[in-house]
C-alpha cells in the first residue's frame, strides 16, 4: 500500500516514515506540506517520490491507498475529510481535532465512506502497556482501586513551538498529553470516566496555554484515576501505577515512543519483574493499520477511541478552567 503523508512534521520523519516502510509492501509516495520548500526537503531526506503543497494532487493519485495526517491539530479535520472524500484510509494523529464535534464529524464521514479511520494513540501498541493490561484483565491485582498515570516530561527544545503558544493550533499540554493519558486509562481499565476535577497552570514554558495539569477522574467501577501531564519536568520519570485489592503494578519509564521501562508486579508472594514484548511501537501501529485495511484486524485505536480521549481531555480542561467538577458528556454512542 502506498501512503501520502500530510504534514512534514517531526513525528512523520522521526518515526512514521520508517514504520510504514517496515511494514512489508508499503511505501511513502507523497508528502504534502504548507510549504513547497519544506515538502521538497522532507521528500529528499526521506526518499519520497512526490512532494508539494496541493493535497488534492496527492489524493487524486490512484496509487495512494492510505493517508497519514500529522500536521498541527487545527488542520486535521479538513485534511481528514478531504482524504476520506477521496476514498483513502486515514491514520490521524492525536488529538484528532480541536473540537469534539470536528473529531466526531471525521469518524462519521469515514463510516459513511466505508474507509478505515484510526487514531495514532501509539501507546496501545507498546508491549509494556499490553502486559499491564493483561495483568489487570487476568485479575492479578484483584479489583482495581486506583490508577496513577504520570506523564510529566520536559518538552524537547526542537518541539518548543506551537505547543507552547498557539491555542488555535491546539497547543497546551492537555490537548497534547492528557489525550494519551485518557486513552491509556481506557485501554488499561476498559471503562470511561464519569466525572473529573482538575487544575492546570503555566509553570515556565506555556505562553497563553497551560504547560502542566493534574486531574482526578471517577470511574464507573469506583476506581479513581490520577493523571499528571507537564512539559516542564526535566527529571520526573513517566510511569503507571495500578493498585488493586490483591496487588500493585509499578511501571517506570513506559510512557515513551520506544519500547522502554520496567514493570514490577507486587503481591503477597513478593515482587516479580514482568517481561514484555519489545517490538517498535510505531511499526506495530503501521502493521496493525495495514491489517485493518485488509480486514484482518481492527485498528488498535479507532476513530471512536480518538473522540473519547478528546472528550475526556476537554472535560479536564473545562474542570480546570471552571474550578468545578465536570461530568464527562459522551453524547451519542460512537
Ligand atoms: P511539528 O511541529 O514537528 O510539525 C507540525 C507541523 O509544523 C508540520 O506539519 C509542519 O507544517 C510544521 N513545521 C515542521 N517543521 C517546521 C519548521 N522547521 N518551520 C516551520 N514549520 C514547521 O509537530 P510534531 O511532529 O511534534 O506533531 C505533529 C502532530 O503529531 C500533532 O498533531 C501531534 O499531536 C502529533 N504527535 C503525535 C505523537 C504520537 O506519538 N502519537 C508524537 C508527536 C506528535 P507543514 O506540514 O505545513 O510543513
Amino acid at each position: 500500500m502506498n501512503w501520502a503523508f500530510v504534514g512534514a512534521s517531526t513525528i512523520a520523519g522521526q518515526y512514521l516514515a520508517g514504520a510504514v516502510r517496515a511494514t512489508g509492501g508499503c511505501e511513502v509516495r507523497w508528502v504534502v506540506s504548507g510549504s513547497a520548500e519544506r515538502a521538497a526537503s522532507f521528500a529528499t531526506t526521506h526518499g519520497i517520490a512526490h512532494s508539494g503543497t496541493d493535497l488534492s494532487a496527492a489524493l487524486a493519485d490512484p496509487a495512494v491507498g492510505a493517508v497519514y495526517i500529522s500536521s498541527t491539530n487545527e488542520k486535521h479535520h479538513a485534511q481528514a475529510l478531504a482524504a476520506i472524500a477521496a476514498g483513502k484510509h486515514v491514520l490521524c494523529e492525536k488529538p484528532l481535532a480541536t473540537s469534539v464535534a470536528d473529531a466526531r464529524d471525521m469518524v462519521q464521514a469515514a463510516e459513511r465512506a466505508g474507509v478505515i479511520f484510526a487514531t495514532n494513540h501509539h501507546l496501545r501498541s507498546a508491549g509494556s502497556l499490553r502486559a499491564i493490561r493483561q495483568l489487570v484483565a487476568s485479575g492479578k491485582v484483584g479489583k482495581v482501586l486506583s490508577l496513577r498515570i504520570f506523564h510529566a516530561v520536559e518538552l524537547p527544545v526542537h518541539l518548543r513551538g506551537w505547543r507552547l503558544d498557539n491555542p488555535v493550533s491546539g497547543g497546551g499540554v492537555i490537548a497534547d498529553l492528557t489525550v494519551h493519558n485518557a486513552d491509556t486509562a481506557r485501554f488499561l481499565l476498559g471503562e470511561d470516566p464519569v466525572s473529573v476535577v482538575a487544575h492546570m497552570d503555566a509553570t515556565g514554558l506555556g505562553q497563553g496555554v497551560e504547560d502542566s495539569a493534574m486531574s482526578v477522574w471517577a470511574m464507573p467501577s469506583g476506581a479513581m484515576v490520577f493523571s499528571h501531564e507537564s512539559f516542564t519536568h526535566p527529571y520526573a520519570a513517566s510511569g503507571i501505577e495500578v493498585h488493586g485489592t490483591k496487588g500493585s503494578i509499578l511501571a517506570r519509564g513506559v510512557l515513551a515512543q520506544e519500547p522502554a521501562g520496567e514493570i514490577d508486579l507486587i503481591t503477597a508472594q513478593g515482587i516479580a519483574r514482568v517481561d514484555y514484548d519489545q517490538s517498535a511501537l510505531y511499526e506495530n501501529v503501521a502493521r496493525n493499520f495495514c491489517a485493518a485495511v485488509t480486514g484482518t484486524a481492527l485498528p488498535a485505536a479507532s476513530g471512536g477511541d480518538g473522540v473519547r480521549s478528546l472528550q475526556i481531555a476537554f472535560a479536564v480542561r473545562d474542570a480546570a478552567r471552571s474550578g468545578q467538577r465536570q461530568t464527562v458528556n459522551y453524547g451519542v454512542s460512537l
Side-chain angles (χ1 to χ4, degrees), residues 44-113:
T44 302
T45 304
H46 298 287
I48 298 170
H50 304 279
S51 67
T53 58
D54 183 5
L55 175 58
S56 59
L59 296 179
D61 182 344
V64 169
V67 172
Y68 168 58
I69 298 174
S70 68
S71 51
T72 48
N73 305 333
E74 84 286 7
K75 296 182 180 143
H76 295 177
H77 177 244
Q79 291 168 338
L81 291 187
I84 291 164
K88 312 298 184 188
H89 304 288
V90 175
L91 172 63
C92 187
E93 271 305 344
K94 47 50 63 174
L96 284 187
T98 51
S99 76
V100 171
D102 279 358
R104 205 181 256 139
D105 195 29
M106 294 150 74
V107 174
Q108 289 171 346
E111 279 170 4
R112 281 194 302 273

